[in-house]
Amino acid sequence: MLIIGELINTSRKAVREAVEARNAQYIQEVAKAQEVAGADYLDVNCGTMVGQEIECMEWLVNTINEVTDLPLCIDSPDENALRAGLVLAKTGNGKRMINSTTAEEKRYKAVIPLVKEFDAKIVALCIEDAGMPETAEDRLRIASKLVDDMEKEGIAQDDIYLDPLIKPLSTNDKYGKSVLDAIYDIKKKYPAVHLTCGLSNISYGLPNRAVLNRLFVVQTMTVGMDGYILNPTDKAMMGVVYASQALMGDDRFCSKYLKAHRKGLYE
């Protein structure tokens, strides 16, 4: 299970203000809080800093590196900002990660050379030039193209994290089921490939979002999801993750579950 902490993102008002003011203390506190809460990677995204993204990315990575050895997931729509972050990101406790590529030709050709150059893990969204997927079959077809193409580039399946693209249940009541079917089908075809997602998209536009998000974690884990981009300081959510791993037999002697309990990581 790979937990990517999502909180260092300038789309969040407090983070943007901290970046604009070069408030290193605030950014470092957010980084450390996610590490203590159980994050394996820290996502770093300053894509809203238009015209300043490269400079902000460099500052953020250097600032985070001062307080943690966690590997970073460099997140940007701009390949130049990706490179700026990758050059500075630490590799002591794991490979760098890139968030993300797609099956869209322009994006794929821009990002894959960086994956190879930096020997990075890669988040790959199931999106193609024709658009976003609707069905489980669409997701499997796009995922297959991504995996097969990346393998031809010499990228190992173990470094690939497919995102089946979760869409709001509020816009189509079949979107949850189609994602579950897709995860199962992808994992069956490519058992060495990993899956990750921005899970909270499922509840957008609906009330009691936390309930839907937590239950969807359990459902997606059961069919093969082994990574999430989420807020690890959400104790209730992390409790669900640890408990699900234990119940599925993926936590030897329930050691992670018990360790989290002793550290007070449950709500």
Side-chain angles (χ1 to χ4, degrees), residues 20-80:
E20 289 174 337
R22 294 300 189 263
N23 182 350
Q25 181 180 349
Y26 179 81
I27 297 299
Q28 290 172 346
E29 288 174 354
V30 174
K32 287 300 293 182
Q34 292 184 98
E35 179 179 25
V36 170
D40 301 299
Y41 273 75
L42 299 179
D43 195 71
V44 184
N45 185 324
C46 51
T48 63
M49 308 301 289
V50 179
Q52 309 170 59
E53 188 180 2
I54 291 176
E55 178 185 351
C56 291
M57 178 66 77
E58 291 172 342
W59 179 82
L60 275 170
V61 172
N62 284 328
T63 298
I64 295 164
N65 282 344
E66 290 178 3
V67 295
T68 179
D69 288 325
L70 282 184
L72 303 182
C73 179
I74 305 301
D75 186 351
S76 175
D78 182 350
E79 61 267 26
N80 295 312

Side-chain angles (χ1 to χ4, degrees), residues 40-41 69-72 90-97 121:
D40 301 299
Y41 273 75
D69 288 325
L70 282 184
L72 303 182
K90 287 183 178 179
T91 58
N93 288 346
K95 289 187 174 186
R96 304 169 179 90
M97 179 177 278
K121 295 180 180 292

Side-chain angles (χ1 to χ4, degrees), residues 32-220:
K32 287 300 293 182
Q34 292 184 98
E35 179 179 25
V36 170
D40 301 299
Y41 273 75
L42 299 179
D43 195 71
V44 184
N45 185 324
C46 51
T48 63
M49 308 301 289
V50 179
Q52 309 170 59
E53 188 180 2
I54 291 176
E55 178 185 351
C56 291
M57 178 66 77
E58 291 172 342
W59 179 82
L60 275 170
V61 172
N62 284 328
T63 298
I64 295 164
N65 282 344
E66 290 178 3
V67 295
T68 179
D69 288 325
L70 282 184
L72 303 182
C73 179
I74 305 301
D75 186 351
S76 175
D78 182 350
E79 61 267 26
N80 295 312
L82 287 176
R83 171 177 289 280
L86 290 165
V87 166
L88 298 172
K90 287 183 178 179
T91 58
N93 288 346
K95 289 187 174 186
R96 304 169 179 90
M97 179 177 278
I98 296 174
N99 189 6
S100 58
T101 190
T102 68
E104 297 165 296
E105 184 177 5
K106 182 178 179 181
R107 180 65 176 174
Y108 184 87
K109 287 183 176 180
V111 173
I112 293 304
L114 294 173
V115 178
K116 295 166 68 175
E117 178 181 350
F118 291 94
D119 188 27
K121 295 180 180 292
I122 177 66
V123 177
L125 278 65
C126 291
I127 303 174
E128 59 186 352
D129 284 310
M132 294 185 287
E134 283 291 314
T135 65
E137 291 76 18
D138 289 339
R139 289 173 168 84
L140 178 61
R141 173 177 51 77
I142 299 169
S144 298
K145 175 174 175 51
L146 281 164
V147 174
D148 293 347
D149 286 351
M150 283 190 276
E151 279 199 296
K152 291 175 184 176
E153 296 282 353
I155 299 169
Q157 288 192 16
D158 186 51
D159 286 333
I160 299 171
Y161 284 75
L162 291 171
D163 185 333
L165 202 68
I166 293 175
K167 299 164 77 173
L169 190 65
S170 58
T171 62
N172 186 319
D173 61 12
K174 298 298 187 289
Y175 278 165
K177 180 65 162 55
S178 66
V179 166
L180 295 174
D181 289 343
I183 294 168
Y184 179 85
D185 292 342
I186 292 168
K187 201 67 177 176
K188 184 176 180 180
K189 184 172 182 179
Y190 300 106
V193 166
H194 302 284
L195 290 115
T196 191
C197 66
L199 183 124
S200 61
N201 289 341
I202 193 66
S203 63
Y204 183 80
L206 291 171
N208 303 309
R209 294 187 65 185
V211 175
L212 288 167
N213 293 343
R214 292 167 196 162
L215 288 174
F216 205 49
V217 161
V218 176
Q219 291 179 320
T220 53

Side-chain angles (χ1 to χ4, degrees), residues 222-267:
T222 301
V223 292
M225 183 74 75
D226 58 358
Y228 296 97
I229 302 169
L230 51 74
N231 174 9
T233 67
D234 180 342
K235 290 186 175 184
M237 176 62 83
M238 290 301 289
V240 167
V241 171
Y242 289 125
S244 295
Q245 283 186 282
L247 290 166
M248 291 171 60
D250 294 332
D251 182 6
R252 186 171 174 79
F253 302 123
C254 299
S255 59
K256 292 179 182 178
Y257 180 86
L258 293 170
K259 182 178 179 182
H261 168 72
R262 287 192 292 269
K263 292 173 68 175
L265 297 183
Y266 298 119
E267 187 175 62

